[in-house]
Amino acid sequence: MALDLPFDNSYARLPDQFFTRLAPTPVAKPSLIAFNRLLAKRLGLDADSLSSDEGTAALAGNGVPNGAEPLAQAYAGHQFGNFVPQLGDGRAILLGEVVAPDGARFDVQLKGSGPTPYSRMGDGRAWLGPVLREYIVSEAMAALGIPTTRALAAVATGEIVLREVPLPGAVLTRVAASHIRVGTFQYFAARDDRDALRALVAHAIERHDADAEDALGLLAGVIQRQADLIARWMGVGFVHGVMNTDNMTISGETIDYGPCAYLDTYHPLMVFSSIDRNGRYAFGRQPDIAMWNLAQLAMALLPLIDDSKAAQAELDRFPELFRAAWSKTFRAKLGLETVEDGDDELIHDLLHRMAENRADFTNTFRALGTEVARDEFLDPAAYDEWHTKWNERLSIENNSLKIALNAVRSVNPAVIPRTHRIEEAIQAAVTGDYRPFERLHAALATPFELSDSNADLARAPTKDEIVPQTFCGT
Ligand code: AMP
Ligand code: MG
């Protein structure tokens, strides 16, 4: 008996050139690694049947659930600045969409589900490492309250995937508001297919921008969401690592957890991705790159926008939208409630001192106002000077320092997914020991609280523990 899911597949109703219909490729021996019961509930899905043997088989790509209309989406994209007119889902299959009890619509996609016509040289598979990384980091992002695709399940395939060495294969079930990317628009613009572009704009407006009236309104919505998103990333020290236009959503959700990382020691030019040789996607360059990507979206939409000056005017708003969102994020991190002249300078001053003194990003913000923060600085006097200015600024608000410190603890996480902990969890999982994965994942579900027994997960890596590079999730 096939699994029943309440699918309603609006993307599958779009014209043929949007995708290739095909089912996932079955795997040898599916076994469930992780299942997200809370997310299943949020989607209105039956967690018991989805996590049963039959459900696990479906989430590994063995058999297509009733009501699914599996397909691989077509898209293009700028990869490190070079335009590739055809990318597409090379290792993912969209099963369909479910509408949650509150009316919100979600894509349910299998990642690592076998080759598609868009696989190019790839095998269409994923190994356990990137599947667990995406599970951990996307769920941590959600727990931090930052828009992101979600992880519903991770399933081991019982098959070997060949990378440089043989590795265990896995499939991730990814849930997203949609998988429409900047690159999806570029795909049709590159083919000068205006009918498809029009259909895509209408579809995207319906799903993400109910108030928008046209392509220009959609562009404005995407610009606002991306300005907010990048500010939120930077507020938690997140480096996406591969902000190609095919990895930037229209919904404003974070997507594609490949060579991403959270900063340990703060520096604005930190780069982790092994393939980002010129630091194009360095931590502090993310707003500029977002603007560049949004300019590509504007270019793709231009055939549908009568007034190109209006599109340019929308783009020109990005720096100020980003600055405002960044300022709001970091003012909250400092426990500031009101807006005063000089707030941005106060924030920049702290960040500058942190960079010069090799302070840990997460632990410094978490401990502001205490000896622990001071001890993060090579020269604690550099912290003391800033602390005096911060206290003067806080005294303008009628709140006591105690209230400010509570605010600081409520918005600055104690625990984030540090790269060395993720790698440790992956290495153990490869040997069949999932305990470190489960422990890390559980601690990250409540990032603003830390039990004593999890103190080690909040600690910055020692010199020997630092993982200097991250790799693409292939
Ligand atoms: P990404 O770096 O994850 O954004 O992927 C970029 C492109 O490469 C997308 O079109 C992916 O579908 C494709 N791709 C990545 N890994 C594989 C793989 N193992 N097999 C087939 N296609 C892949
Ligand atoms: Mg991608």
Side-chain angles (χ1 to χ4, degrees), residues 161-234:
V161 173
L162 280 178
R163 292 296 176 256
E164 263 134 46
V165 290
L167 292 160
V171 176
L172 181 84
T173 307
R174 180 158 72 182
V175 170
S178 86
H179 285 85
I180 306 169
R181 310 142 192 271
V182 168
T184 318
F185 291 88
Q186 292 182 291
Y187 180 84
F188 297 114
R191 285 159 182 75
D192 201 19
D193 185 344
R194 290 192 191 200
D195 290 341
L197 259 185
R198 251 181 235 110
L200 181 59
V201 166
H203 180 84
I205 287 177
E206 181 149 350
R207 290 182 78 164
H208 305 303
D209 263 302
D211 297 337
E213 287 177 2
D214 50 19
L216 186 63
L218 177 66
L219 176 65
V222 179
I223 288 172
Q224 177 71 64
R225 288 191 287 279
Q226 287 295 336
D228 290 340
L229 180 66
I230 311 296
R232 302 290 304 278
W233 285 356
M234 294 181 74

Side-chain angles (χ1 to χ4, degrees), residues 75 181 246-247 256:
Y75 53 84
R181 310 142 192 271
D246 53 306
N247 292 334
D256 213 313

